[in-house]
Amino acid sequence: MIKWLRSESFTAWAFMTPGLLLLAVFVFWPIIYSIPLALTDYSVISDTHYVGLDNFEAAFKDRNFLISIWNSLVYVLIVPFLQIFSILMAVLVNSRIPGIKIFRTTYYIPVVTSMVAVALIWSWLLGNNSVVNYLLMQAGLISKDIHWLSDSSLALYVLMFITMWKGLGYYMMLYLAGLQNIPQDLYEAARVDGASRWRLIVHITLPLLRPYVLFCTLISLMAAIRVFDEVYVLTKGGPGTATLTSSLYIFQKGMEQFNFGYASALGLIVGVVIAVLSIIVFRFNRKGGINPY
Amino acid sequence: MTKKAKGRLRLLVSMLVLVVLLSSCGGGGKKPENVNGGKVTLQFWTIALQPTFTPYFNRVIADYEEKNPNVKIDWKDYPYDAVTNKLLTSIASGSSPDVVNLNTEFASQMGSKGAVVDMNEHLSPEEKAAYFDGIYNSTVINGKAYALPWYTGTEVLYMNTKLVKEAGLDPAHPPKTREELSEWGRQVNRKIGKAGYAQQLVSKLFAIDGIPILNKEKTAAAFNTPEAVTMIDNLKKQMEDGVVLKEDAEFSQQVKYYAGEQVAFELAGPTFINFIKTAAPDVYKNTIAVPVPTGKADVRLSNTMDLVVPTKSAHVNEAVKFAVFLTNAESQTAFSKAANTLPSTKDSIKDPYFTQSDQSLEAQAKVVSAQSLDKATDYMVGVPNAKDVNSAVTRAFQNIILNGTDTKQTLTALEQEVNDILKQ
């Protein structure tokens, strides 16, 4: 016992325990508890009855839920763009140009701004008779107002753009950390061998950034499927179901309509979708890279 | 079994034990008694009324406690966005409040789940007769009244006289019907390039034209009619013609458009005045209030705040008694004077406060809307699972009007969706 108390593993566990306890109460426990809940008609405010797999059966027949899953999958399309642009921005701000810190800070401002505030600003920029329409009209690019957020063919892509605009700075910082971890002597050796700037990026920067790409791809993928704030503030899932995402639909079913049993079932299904997509990303990124830790 | 597998099994078993232990800590146990030395403490919750109306509530609570020495009122106020979560968590943890202020939609939703007390069981016929019938019946589902109506508001038509005159229209002879309002909007759009008004796409649009949302028994959708198709197609055309802004505009958006003089009219309750006064003082100066143009049904729709008593309250009788006191004519008249709202009790509007106007915009709006309370009805009258029905209807309206789906087909699909909701 004394021996164990002095061991490294005890120290590690001692440091991890507070965090693990918080995770257990606020993350693991709700996830586990949602499994029995999904088998009931739990609504908090009235009596609960066991309904078996009815909620799951209803979910796969629920047109709005299937649309919301599809919209969430479409939302995942921002992931590659987010990675490409944030890597490019990271490479840009990694250079030693005077005043580059100002750019780094500027790109990071949207990240630390509340999503609700960001969404409200965009709603003013994109609403009826908006600034964006005015500027486009002045430039002669459009002849009449574009309904950015109430046109079903545009609304989802506008929301995706806003999410990407807000997230770029965050992923740029992660990639910047990755870039600054790459040993400089690798670049020097390659330059001595006559490698061009392009070859340095393709054969050194990108392969050594792979672990970061994997990490950023995973978290941005999960964030894309779980997107909620901007959709809730800007469109509430509308027009119709054009921007109805899975998180928003689960919120509506649970918090607005008190069908917590059904909402739990939907949450579990979405959890499985995220897990499957994460496994696919892992498979693609099996090889390559150096351990950055 | 390998060491690794044993470890995993151990971890799984530990987790399950943890779940079982935590489950036993859950709420739903015995109700708290809330009794101190023979005194009953009632938890009373309101929405966004502190600190502005604190003096009124302190007075009314002190008055009630004096008349009922065995009762103590513990008043708490929550923001609109937080009250739902707070109520759910309180009920889940077994410490339900006793009297709660909710809107009609939320009260109906809770009533459908059997979570609030049926007021018809507790009120005498005289007590029930004190309220305007149309408003009292707004939360009656299957003969059970799930709330007592409290303060209310009916829409009036706010008009930007500057824009209206620029469009060559005479504000002294305002539009009286929705068709006339539409013509005015068309002229505003043609002459000065602004829209007539902004509109939220909600089930209220059915009620304005007298299209029933549900059948008499409240068991099935009843809106899939040629009249509904005409009404929706007409609104769609108005949006395309610039008479109505092409958007599903929530109230906050409507305030923004009116304040920015992007629309000439606004259909809203008395609270709209406060927003305009703050957001655009110049527009406020040019605004007048006139009776709301009516649709085919010729009804005035109310938007009511209610008081409910959750079934999980530990003191149902005392709670109902306090709710009746707070919503009686005397209390409501006093609150209306303090808060510039309308009462839901018949005797209150006999007070000179609701009949005399000093010609200010607030007074105009108050008198105009108070005189239409006897015709007022809530548009979600007796709709079970009102929130589910409303979101389905809104989605369908958006699909037809903004996304261009076929009206008849979408209404048929909506009918099926609403019928499924009613079966829940």
Side-chain angles (χ1 to χ4, degrees):
Chain A
M1 184 72 184
I2 301 284
K3 195 179 169 189
W4 184 70
L5 285 175
R6 286 182 181 160
S7 69
E8 268 187 27
S9 93
F10 170 76
T11 313
W13 278 106
F15 276 106
M16 285 193 299
T17 301
L20 281 175
L21 278 175
L22 286 172
L23 279 173
V25 173
F26 294 107
V27 179
F28 305 146
W29 162 242
I31 291 171
I32 295 162
Y33 193 55
S34 70
I35 298 168
L37 272 191
L39 306 174
T40 67
D41 63 356
Y42 180 61
S43 72
V44 176
I45 53 179
S46 54
D47 297 337
T48 305
H49 310 96
Y50 175 76
V51 296
L53 294 174
D54 287 4
N55 287 330
F56 292 92
E57 203 180 312
F60 290 108
K61 286 181 189 164
D62 183 343
R63 199 172 155 270
N64 291 330
F65 176 59
L66 298 177
I67 289 170
S68 77
I69 288 278
W70 172 252
N71 285 340
S72 292
L73 292 175
V74 171
Y75 225 98
V76 168
L77 289 175
I78 70 168
V79 173
F81 292 101
L82 200 51
Q83 303 320 308
I84 292 164
F85 287 123
S86 45
I87 290 173
L88 288 175
M89 277 167 62
V91 170
L92 206 75
V93 299
N94 196 32
S95 50
R96 290 190 177 82
I97 304 165
I100 199 70
K101 282 184 180 171
I102 295 169
F103 283 98
R104 279 185 206 174
T105 313
T106 310
Y107 293 145
Y108 202 71
I109 286 173
V111 178
V112 292
T113 310
S114 139
M115 191 62 201
V116 174
V118 164
L120 283 171
I121 290 165
W122 279 102
S123 81
W124 294 329
L125 289 171
L126 299 168
N128 271 298
N129 304 320
S130 65
V131 177
V132 171
N133 281 335
Y134 173 77
L135 292 173
L136 291 174
M137 275 188 191
Q138 291 302 307
L141 295 171
I142 57 171
S143 57
K144 60 175 189 168
D145 265 5
I146 295 177
H147 302 284
W148 300 101
L149 294 168
S150 51
D151 181 330
S152 60
S153 59
L154 286 175
L156 189 65
Y157 302 106
V158 171
L159 290 176
M160 285 161 71
F161 171 79
I162 293 167
T163 305
M164 194 167 89
W165 173 85
K166 191 177 188 301
L168 270 175
Y170 176 71
Y171 296 106
M172 177 196 78
M173 282 296 174
L174 290 175
Y175 284 124
L176 188 61
L179 287 173
Q180 293 178 345
N181 256 343
I182 298 174
Q184 288 304 303
D185 50 355
L186 292 178
Y187 288 113
E188 282 157 23
R191 280 195 201 100
V192 168
D193 290 343
S196 64
R197 191 171 165 73
W198 175 246
R199 295 199 104 178
L200 292 180
I201 290 174
V202 172
H203 294 289
I204 297 173
T205 309
L206 290 180
L208 296 188
L209 269 184
R210 270 186 93 134
Y212 294 91
V213 174
L214 170 64
F215 176 71
C216 291
T217 304
L218 265 182
I219 59 170
S220 60
L221 177 96
M222 290 175 190
I225 292 184
R226 290 199 329 254
V227 70
F228 176 82
D229 295 3
E230 50 271 59
V231 185
Y232 184 74
V233 175
L234 285 165
T235 62
K236 292 269 194 312
T241 50
T243 61
L244 187 67
T245 57
S246 51
S247 293
L248 182 70
Y249 193 60
I250 292 168
F251 172 84
Q252 286 176 345
K253 283 287 158 195
M255 301 309 293
E256 289 182 354
Q257 297 166 11
F258 317 140
N259 298 322
F260 285 95
Y262 186 54
S264 299
L266 300 186
L268 288 170
I269 295 167
V270 172
V272 170
V273 170
I274 292 177
V276 168
L277 288 173
S278 303
I279 289 165
I280 292 169
V281 171
F282 263 110
R283 291 271 155 143
F284 267 104
N285 282 276
R286 249 186 187 165
K287 283 191 244 157
I290 54 167
N291 187 350
Y293 310 109
Chain B
M1 199 185 272
T2 63
K3 254 188 180 177
K4 218 176 189 179
K6 273 184 183 170
R8 280 180 184 166
L9 186 69
R10 214 173 280 147
L11 181 71
L12 188 70
V13 171
S14 314
M15 286 291 253
L16 285 171
V17 169
L18 180 74
V19 169
V20 172
L21 286 173
L22 284 172
S23 310
S24 61
C25 303
K30 203 170 168 281
K31 288 173 188 169
E33 278 306 305
N34 268 344
V35 178
N36 296 323
K39 252 195 180 188
V40 169
T41 300
L42 293 181
Q43 293 287 331
F44 167 48
W45 290 7
T46 56
I47 302 173
L49 296 174
Q50 272 180 17
T52 320
F53 308 112
T54 302
Y56 165 82
F57 282 100
N58 286 344
R59 227 179 15 253
V60 83
I61 287 168
D63 184 24
Y64 188 79
E65 287 176 346
E66 197 182 324
K67 288 173 182 161
N68 300 272
N70 63 322
V71 176
K72 189 180 180 317
I73 307 293
D74 183 9
W75 173 43
K76 289 191 175 71
D77 188 79
Y78 296 102
Y80 187 84
D81 296 338
V83 77
T84 314
N85 286 351
K86 187 75 194 150
L87 184 59
L88 292 175
T89 49
S90 295
I91 291 175
S93 63
S95 54
S96 166
D98 302 289
V99 179
V100 187
N101 161 205
L102 296 175
N103 64 15
T104 302
E105 189 184 42
F106 195 0
S108 297
Q109 186 80 9
M110 287 192 75
S112 308
K113 304 270 180 203
V116 286
V117 165
D118 172 16
M119 294 294 180
N120 279 343
E121 282 183 5
H122 294 268
L123 266 65
S124 65
E126 294 75 31
E127 283 172 326
K128 276 189 268 186
Y131 306 97
F132 289 106
D133 295 347
I135 301 176
Y136 182 82
N137 289 331
S138 62
T139 59
V140 174
I141 299 171
N142 296 330
K144 293 177 176 176
Y146 287 121
L148 289 183
W150 193 16
Y151 61 97
T152 188
T154 59
E155 284 186 345
V156 295
L157 177 68
Y158 294 98
M159 197 186 291
N160 183 326
T161 51
K162 182 169 78 79
L163 296 183
V164 166
K165 284 173 185 166
E166 278 173 16
L169 295 157
D170 179 10
H173 299 94
K176 289 190 168 52
T177 64
R178 282 267 172 167
E179 283 85 356
E180 286 175 23
L181 178 66
S182 173
E183 283 314 308
W184 277 51
R186 206 172 294 281
Q187 186 157 331
V188 166
N189 184 254
R190 208 174 44 238
K191 290 274 172 74
I192 59 172
K194 314 271 184 186
Y197 57 100
Q199 175 76 63
Q200 190 167 11
L201 303 175
V202 284
S203 3
K204 181 167 67 174
L205 295 169
F206 283 137
I208 288 168
D209 274 0
I211 299 157
I213 298 172
L214 303 182
N215 61 6
K216 278 202 176 73
E217 298 76 30
K218 313 288 181 198
T219 52
F223 50 72
N224 193 2
T225 61
E227 290 80 10
V229 173
T230 308
M231 181 273 288
I232 297 170
D233 286 344
N234 183 27
L235 180 57
K236 190 175 171 180
K237 189 172 182 331
Q238 286 183 29
M239 284 199 178
E240 274 151 16
D241 294 349
V243 174
V244 179
L245 276 180
K246 193 174 177 181
E247 185 184 331
D248 181 4
E250 283 189 341
F251 181 69
S252 58
Q253 287 289 92
Q254 293 178 26
V255 171
K256 201 176 79 183
Y257 291 134
Y258 190 88
E261 296 200 315
Q262 292 178 39
V263 294
F265 314 110
E266 168 66 21
L267 301 122
T271 47
F272 175 74
I273 301 168
N274 303 329
F275 289 101
I276 286 300
K277 209 172 180 173
T278 315
D282 290 346
V283 177
Y284 168 80
K285 278 183 209 142
N286 293 325
T287 299
I288 59 165
V290 295
V292 72
T294 50
K296 290 190 176 78
D298 193 28
V299 289
R300 308 273 191 280
L301 298 173
S302 67
N303 192 359
T304 309
M305 275 293 188
D306 303 298
L307 290 180
V308 301
V309 174
T311 44
K312 305 245 171 169
S313 159
H315 310 285
V316 169
N317 291 332
E318 290 87 348
V320 171
K321 197 177 163 192
F322 176 61
V324 169
F325 173 81
L326 210 60
T327 58
N328 69 22
E330 191 187 343
S331 301
Q332 287 215 44
T333 307
F335 185 62
S336 293
K337 288 177 182 177
N340 192 27
T341 57
L342 293 176
S344 55
T345 38
K346 294 170 189 169
D347 281 351
S348 295
I349 61 157
K350 292 172 186 165
D351 191 282
Y353 177 78
F354 295 104
T355 54
Q356 292 163 8
S357 164
D358 60 5
Q359 295 313 308
S360 67
L361 179 59
E362 287 83 347
Q364 285 173 33
K366 177 188 69 194
V367 172
V368 162
S369 49
Q371 297 320 306
S372 60
L373 279 171
D374 57 336
K375 294 190 205 75
T377 176
D378 197 287
Y379 66 92
M380 290 306 281
V381 174
V383 175
N385 292 319
K387 272 179 170 284
D388 307 43
V389 171
N390 251 343
S391 13
V393 169
T394 292
R395 268 199 298 269
F397 279 161
Q398 288 178 349
N399 270 330
I400 298 165
I401 293 165
L402 302 172
N403 299 352
T405 60
D406 180 76
T407 312
K408 184 70 190 136
Q409 276 178 11
T410 311
L411 274 181
T412 305
L414 173 66
E415 182 181 28
Q416 183 57 56
E417 191 177 350
V418 169
N419 287 343
D420 290 344
I421 290 168
L422 296 173
K423 281 179 201 151
Q424 283 171 12

